[in-house]
Short mmCIF file of all heavy atoms in Angstrom, two decimals:
data_model
loop_
_atom_site.label_atom_id
_atom_site.label_comp_id
_atom_site.label_asym_id
_atom_site.label_seq_id
_atom_site.Cartn_x
_atom_site.Cartn_y
_atom_site.Cartn_z
N LYS B 361 -7.00 -30.84 6.21
CA LYS B 361 -8.32 -31.31 6.67
C LYS B 361 -8.49 -31.04 8.15
O LYS B 361 -9.53 -30.58 8.60
CB LYS B 361 -8.45 -32.80 6.39
CG LYS B 361 -8.86 -33.06 4.95
CD LYS B 361 -9.36 -34.49 4.76
CE LYS B 361 -9.37 -34.83 3.29
NZ LYS B 361 -8.30 -35.76 2.92
N LEU B 362 -7.42 -31.36 8.93
CA LEU B 362 -7.50 -31.14 10.37
C LEU B 362 -7.71 -29.67 10.69
O LEU B 362 -8.47 -29.32 11.59
CB LEU B 362 -6.22 -31.65 11.05
CG LEU B 362 -6.09 -33.15 11.22
CD1 LEU B 362 -4.78 -33.48 11.90
CD2 LEU B 362 -7.26 -33.68 12.05
N ILE B 363 -7.00 -28.83 9.95
CA ILE B 363 -7.11 -27.40 10.19
C ILE B 363 -8.55 -26.95 9.92
O ILE B 363 -9.15 -26.20 10.68
CB ILE B 363 -6.13 -26.62 9.30
CG1 ILE B 363 -4.70 -26.94 9.72
CG2 ILE B 363 -6.37 -25.12 9.39
CD1 ILE B 363 -3.64 -26.36 8.82
N TYR B 364 -9.07 -27.46 8.83
CA TYR B 364 -10.44 -27.10 8.44
C TYR B 364 -11.42 -27.50 9.53
O TYR B 364 -12.23 -26.69 9.99
CB TYR B 364 -10.78 -27.79 7.13
CG TYR B 364 -12.08 -27.36 6.51
CD1 TYR B 364 -12.13 -26.23 5.69
CD2 TYR B 364 -13.26 -28.05 6.75
CE1 TYR B 364 -13.31 -25.83 5.12
CE2 TYR B 364 -14.45 -27.65 6.18
CZ TYR B 364 -14.48 -26.53 5.36
OH TYR B 364 -15.65 -26.12 4.80
N GLU B 365 -11.30 -28.75 9.97
CA GLU B 365 -12.22 -29.24 11.00
C GLU B 365 -12.12 -28.40 12.27
O GLU B 365 -13.11 -28.02 12.88
CB GLU B 365 -11.92 -30.71 11.33
CG GLU B 365 -12.54 -31.65 10.32
CD GLU B 365 -11.91 -33.03 10.39
OE1 GLU B 365 -11.35 -33.38 11.46
OE2 GLU B 365 -11.96 -33.74 9.37
N SER B 366 -10.87 -28.14 12.62
CA SER B 366 -10.64 -27.37 13.84
C SER B 366 -11.25 -25.98 13.73
O SER B 366 -11.83 -25.46 14.69
CB SER B 366 -9.14 -27.29 14.09
OG SER B 366 -8.87 -26.40 15.12
N ALA B 367 -11.12 -25.40 12.54
CA ALA B 367 -11.65 -24.05 12.34
C ALA B 367 -13.18 -24.06 12.43
O ALA B 367 -13.78 -23.13 12.98
CB ALA B 367 -11.21 -23.50 10.98
N VAL B 368 -13.78 -25.11 11.93
CA VAL B 368 -15.24 -25.21 12.01
C VAL B 368 -15.66 -25.34 13.47
O VAL B 368 -16.57 -24.66 13.94
CB VAL B 368 -15.74 -26.42 11.19
CG1 VAL B 368 -17.25 -26.59 11.38
CG2 VAL B 368 -15.42 -26.22 9.72
N LYS B 369 -14.93 -26.19 14.18
CA LYS B 369 -15.25 -26.42 15.58
C LYS B 369 -15.17 -25.14 16.39
O LYS B 369 -15.95 -24.89 17.29
CB LYS B 369 -14.27 -27.45 16.15
CG LYS B 369 -14.98 -28.55 16.99
CD LYS B 369 -13.97 -29.49 17.58
CE LYS B 369 -13.59 -30.60 16.63
NZ LYS B 369 -12.42 -31.36 17.12
N LYS B 370 -14.19 -24.31 16.03
CA LYS B 370 -13.99 -23.07 16.79
C LYS B 370 -14.89 -21.95 16.29
O LYS B 370 -14.85 -20.84 16.81
CB LYS B 370 -12.53 -22.63 16.67
CG LYS B 370 -11.60 -23.58 17.36
CD LYS B 370 -10.26 -22.92 17.60
CE LYS B 370 -9.41 -23.75 18.52
NZ LYS B 370 -8.79 -24.88 17.83
N GLY B 371 -15.64 -22.24 15.27
CA GLY B 371 -16.55 -21.23 14.77
C GLY B 371 -15.88 -20.16 13.93
O GLY B 371 -16.44 -19.09 13.70
N VAL B 372 -14.65 -20.43 13.52
CA VAL B 372 -13.96 -19.45 12.69
C VAL B 372 -14.58 -19.41 11.29
O VAL B 372 -14.73 -18.36 10.68
CB VAL B 372 -12.45 -19.78 12.59
CG1 VAL B 372 -11.73 -18.76 11.74
CG2 VAL B 372 -11.83 -19.83 13.98
N ILE B 373 -14.92 -20.60 10.80
CA ILE B 373 -15.65 -20.67 9.53
C ILE B 373 -16.90 -21.51 9.75
O ILE B 373 -16.99 -22.26 10.73
CB ILE B 373 -14.79 -21.28 8.40
CG1 ILE B 373 -14.16 -22.60 8.86
CG2 ILE B 373 -13.73 -20.31 7.94
CD1 ILE B 373 -13.49 -23.37 7.76
N SER B 374 -17.84 -21.42 8.84
CA SER B 374 -19.13 -22.08 9.08
C SER B 374 -19.09 -23.56 8.72
O SER B 374 -19.88 -24.34 9.22
CB SER B 374 -20.22 -21.38 8.27
OG SER B 374 -19.98 -21.56 6.90
N GLY B 375 -18.17 -23.96 7.87
CA GLY B 375 -18.08 -25.37 7.51
C GLY B 375 -18.73 -25.67 6.18
O GLY B 375 -18.68 -26.80 5.70
N THR B 376 -19.34 -24.65 5.58
CA THR B 376 -19.96 -24.89 4.29
C THR B 376 -19.01 -24.53 3.14
O THR B 376 -19.27 -24.87 1.99
CB THR B 376 -21.24 -24.04 4.14
OG1 THR B 376 -20.92 -22.70 4.50
CG2 THR B 376 -22.35 -24.55 5.03
N GLU B 377 -17.93 -23.83 3.47
CA GLU B 377 -17.02 -23.40 2.41
C GLU B 377 -16.18 -24.57 1.91
O GLU B 377 -15.87 -25.49 2.65
CB GLU B 377 -16.04 -22.32 2.93
CG GLU B 377 -16.68 -21.09 3.50
CD GLU B 377 -16.87 -21.20 5.00
OE1 GLU B 377 -16.93 -22.33 5.51
OE2 GLU B 377 -16.97 -20.15 5.65
N THR B 378 -15.86 -24.51 0.64
CA THR B 378 -14.85 -25.43 0.14
C THR B 378 -13.57 -24.62 -0.03
O THR B 378 -13.56 -23.58 -0.68
CB THR B 378 -15.24 -26.02 -1.22
OG1 THR B 378 -16.02 -25.07 -1.92
CG2 THR B 378 -16.01 -27.32 -1.06
N LEU B 379 -12.52 -25.10 0.60
CA LEU B 379 -11.28 -24.34 0.58
C LEU B 379 -10.17 -25.20 -0.03
O LEU B 379 -10.14 -26.42 0.16
CB LEU B 379 -10.87 -23.93 2.00
CG LEU B 379 -11.83 -23.01 2.75
CD1 LEU B 379 -11.32 -22.74 4.15
CD2 LEU B 379 -12.00 -21.69 2.02
N THR B 380 -9.27 -24.54 -0.72
CA THR B 380 -8.10 -25.25 -1.21
C THR B 380 -7.15 -25.47 -0.04
O THR B 380 -7.32 -24.87 1.03
CB THR B 380 -7.38 -24.43 -2.28
OG1 THR B 380 -6.94 -23.21 -1.67
CG2 THR B 380 -8.29 -24.11 -3.45
N ASP B 381 -6.17 -26.31 -0.24
CA ASP B 381 -5.21 -26.57 0.83
C ASP B 381 -4.57 -25.27 1.30
O ASP B 381 -4.42 -25.03 2.49
CB ASP B 381 -4.11 -27.53 0.33
CG ASP B 381 -4.66 -28.94 0.19
OD1 ASP B 381 -5.86 -29.13 0.47
OD2 ASP B 381 -3.88 -29.83 -0.19
N MET B 382 -4.19 -24.44 0.33
CA MET B 382 -3.55 -23.17 0.67
C MET B 382 -4.46 -22.33 1.55
O MET B 382 -4.03 -21.74 2.54
CB MET B 382 -3.25 -22.39 -0.62
CG MET B 382 -1.98 -22.80 -1.31
SD MET B 382 -0.56 -22.30 -0.35
CE MET B 382 0.29 -21.32 -1.55
N GLN B 383 -5.75 -22.30 1.19
CA GLN B 383 -6.69 -21.49 1.97
C GLN B 383 -6.86 -22.07 3.37
O GLN B 383 -7.05 -21.32 4.32
CB GLN B 383 -8.04 -21.43 1.25
CG GLN B 383 -8.01 -20.48 0.07
CD GLN B 383 -9.25 -20.62 -0.80
OE1 GLN B 383 -9.74 -21.72 -1.01
NE2 GLN B 383 -9.74 -19.50 -1.30
N CYS B 384 -6.77 -23.38 3.47
CA CYS B 384 -6.84 -24.00 4.79
C CYS B 384 -5.68 -23.56 5.67
O CYS B 384 -5.85 -23.24 6.83
CB CYS B 384 -6.82 -25.52 4.66
SG CYS B 384 -8.35 -26.19 4.04
N PHE B 385 -4.49 -23.53 5.07
CA PHE B 385 -3.33 -23.10 5.85
C PHE B 385 -3.51 -21.68 6.34
O PHE B 385 -3.13 -21.33 7.45
CB PHE B 385 -2.05 -23.19 5.01
CG PHE B 385 -1.70 -24.59 4.59
CD1 PHE B 385 -1.06 -24.82 3.38
CD2 PHE B 385 -1.98 -25.67 5.40
CE1 PHE B 385 -0.73 -26.11 2.99
CE2 PHE B 385 -1.66 -26.96 5.02
CZ PHE B 385 -1.03 -27.18 3.80
N GLU B 386 -4.13 -20.86 5.49
CA GLU B 386 -4.33 -19.46 5.84
C GLU B 386 -5.17 -19.32 7.12
O GLU B 386 -5.08 -18.32 7.81
CB GLU B 386 -5.04 -18.72 4.70
CG GLU B 386 -4.23 -18.60 3.43
CD GLU B 386 -3.20 -17.50 3.50
OE1 GLU B 386 -3.56 -16.40 3.94
OE2 GLU B 386 -2.04 -17.76 3.14
N LEU B 387 -6.00 -20.33 7.38
CA LEU B 387 -6.90 -20.25 8.53
C LEU B 387 -6.14 -20.06 9.84
O LEU B 387 -6.67 -19.48 10.78
CB LEU B 387 -7.76 -21.51 8.63
CG LEU B 387 -8.80 -21.70 7.53
CD1 LEU B 387 -9.46 -23.06 7.65
CD2 LEU B 387 -9.85 -20.61 7.60
N ILE B 388 -4.91 -20.54 9.89
CA ILE B 388 -4.19 -20.45 11.16
C ILE B 388 -3.86 -19.00 11.52
O ILE B 388 -3.46 -18.71 12.63
CB ILE B 388 -2.90 -21.29 11.19
CG1 ILE B 388 -1.88 -20.77 10.18
CG2 ILE B 388 -3.20 -22.75 10.92
CD1 ILE B 388 -0.50 -21.39 10.39
#
Side-chain angles (χ1 to χ4, degrees):
Chain B
K361 278 196 196 107
L362 283 180
I363 294 173
Y364 188 86
E365 279 162 24
S366 171
V368 175
K369 226 183 275 169
K370 293 198 169 78
V372 180
I373 50 171
S374 66
T376 49
E377 302 93 336
T378 31
L379 298 178
T380 62
D381 287 1
M382 278 291 237
Q383 284 169 322
C384 287
F385 296 148
E386 294 280 314
L387 292 173
I388 65 168

